[in-house]
């Protein structure tokens, strides 16, 4: 497991905010990580949420009936979040939300920058008012209490994938999501992927500028190659 200082974590996160998931996906392909994209079912809530970029803090749960009155394990798990984290929620929830406005506020207070939810979210309007971006598979008014419980945190979890049924997310992996979707960057290659994605981004910006000046697409491809 790679260890980063707080300063390194913040620098890496800030730089990832300036690259697109599409370029990150292309770099991961060249490195042999072909199945890191998440299902297209993951959408921003609200739709104006914008991108998320941060370190994966994983939370796992499962459907199980129990008495109303809250989920102490969920609250305990959220206490572990820290600055720069993205809370990654996994489990077998069907038709229920994993969290709503109040938990989102608590996560934000701890420095959490957003959430990636392989399940449902509610209180979308109010979460949006908190400027707390969420990418989830669906929204629903139905609460998890009495139906779904947290069973662990900071453990490897699985999320629905784009090119494979499931993508493993480990604590400390990097999460990036934008208009094109969501992707997981394994911690072991997070710096290499970032550097190569930045170089690809710069190359694309150069091509766009040349096209604006009148260079044809065929000429651009001949000069700069495939991008």
């Amino acid at each position: 497991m790679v260890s980063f200082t707080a300063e390194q974590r913040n620098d890496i996160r800030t730089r990832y905010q300036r690259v697109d998931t599409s370029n990150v996906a292309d770099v991961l392909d060249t490195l042999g990580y072909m199945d890191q994209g998440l299902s297209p079912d993951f959408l921003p809530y609200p739709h104006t949420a914008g991108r998320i970029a941060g370190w994966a803090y994983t939370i796992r749960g499962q459907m199980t009936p129990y008495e109303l009155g809250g989920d102490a394990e969920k609250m305990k798990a959220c206490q572990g979040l820290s600055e720069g984290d993205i809370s990654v929620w996994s489990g077998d929830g069907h038709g229920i939300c994993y969290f709503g406005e109040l938990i989102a506020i608590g996560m934000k207070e701890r420095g959490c920058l957003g959430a990636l939810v392989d399940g449902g979210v509610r209180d979308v309007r109010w979460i949006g008012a908190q400027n707390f971006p969420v990418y989830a598979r669906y929204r629903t008014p139905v609460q998890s209490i009495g139906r779904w419980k947290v069973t662990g945190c900071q453990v490897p979890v699985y999320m629905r994938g784009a090119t494979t049924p499931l993508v493993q997310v480990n604590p400390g992996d990097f999460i990036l999501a934008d208009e094109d979707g969501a992707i997981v960057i394994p911690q072991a290659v997070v710096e290499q992927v970032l550097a190569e994605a930045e170089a690809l981004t710069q190359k694309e910006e150069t091509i766009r500028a040349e096209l604006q000046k009148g260079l044809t697409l065929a000429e651009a491809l001949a000069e700069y190659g495939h991008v």
Side-chain angles (χ1 to χ4, degrees), residues 16-63:
Y16 262 110
Q17 289 178 321
R18 297 192 289 266
V19 299
D20 295 335
T21 56
S22 56
N23 285 341
V24 168
D26 290 354
V27 171
L28 285 166
D29 279 355
T30 65
L31 297 178
Y33 294 86
M34 304 289 289
D35 298 306
Q36 296 303 118
L38 297 183
S39 169
D41 291 342
F42 286 91
L43 296 173
Y45 291 96
H47 70 278
T48 56
R51 68 173 52 206
I52 59 174
W55 303 91
Y57 179 97
T58 62
I59 299 173
R60 182 181 62 196
Q62 69 178 53
M63 296 293 286

Side-chain angles (χ1 to χ4, degrees), residues 120-142:
V121 64
R122 72 176 187 177
D123 302 331
V124 172
R125 173 161 52 107
W126 302 112
I127 289 175
Q130 294 292 327
N131 293 316
F132 187 80
V134 176
Y135 278 70
R137 286 198 300 110
Y138 58 84
R139 80 282 185 272
T140 174
V142 181

Side-chain angles (χ1 to χ4, degrees), residues 97-112:
C97 78
Y98 289 3
F99 68 88
E101 177 193 12
L102 296 182
I103 291 182
I105 290 173
M107 290 190 286
K108 184 179 178 181
E109 288 175 346
R110 303 194 69 80
C112 181

Side-chain angles (χ1 to χ4, degrees), residues 2-196:
V2 183
S3 179
F4 296 109
T5 65
E7 184 178 356
Q8 288 173 322
R9 277 169 53 96
N10 185 60
D11 177 65
I12 290 169
R13 183 186 59 77
T14 301
R15 289 164 59 194
Y16 262 110
Q17 289 178 321
R18 297 192 289 266
V19 299
D20 295 335
T21 56
S22 56
N23 285 341
V24 168
D26 290 354
V27 171
L28 285 166
D29 279 355
T30 65
L31 297 178
Y33 294 86
M34 304 289 289
D35 298 306
Q36 296 303 118
L38 297 183
S39 169
D41 291 342
F42 286 91
L43 296 173
Y45 291 96
H47 70 278
T48 56
R51 68 173 52 206
I52 59 174
W55 303 91
Y57 179 97
T58 62
I59 299 173
R60 182 181 62 196
Q62 69 178 53
M63 296 293 286
T64 182
Y66 61 99
E67 294 183 0
L68 297 178
D71 182 354
E73 290 303 312
K74 179 188 291 187
M75 304 308 295
K76 180 181 177 181
C78 289
Q79 292 300 307
L81 286 158
S82 59
E83 188 170 351
D85 285 344
I86 299 294
S87 58
V88 178
W89 298 72
S90 69
D92 61 350
H94 299 291
I96 54 93
C97 78
Y98 289 3
F99 68 88
E101 177 193 12
L102 296 182
I103 291 182
I105 290 173
M107 290 190 286
K108 184 179 178 181
E109 288 175 346
R110 303 194 69 80
C112 181
L113 299 173
L116 179 68
V117 187
D118 197 346
V121 64
R122 72 176 187 177
D123 302 331
V124 172
R125 173 161 52 107
W126 302 112
I127 289 175
Q130 294 292 327
N131 293 316
F132 187 80
V134 176
Y135 278 70
R137 286 198 300 110
Y138 58 84
R139 80 282 185 272
T140 174
V142 181
Q143 68 176 345
S144 62
I145 295 174
R147 302 178 175 93
W148 183 89
K149 293 190 73 170
V150 166
T151 58
C153 66
Q154 287 297 74
V155 294
V157 299
Y158 289 99
M159 309 287 278
R160 287 167 176 81
T163 58
T164 188
L166 297 171
V167 176
Q168 182 169 315
V169 183
N170 297 299
D173 286 348
F174 199 87
I175 304 298
L176 185 66
D178 59 18
E179 299 88 347
D180 290 331
I183 197 161
V184 180
I185 302 97
Q187 187 184 66
V189 293
V190 68
E191 292 179 292
Q192 182 180 2
V193 170
L194 175 57
E196 295 189 23

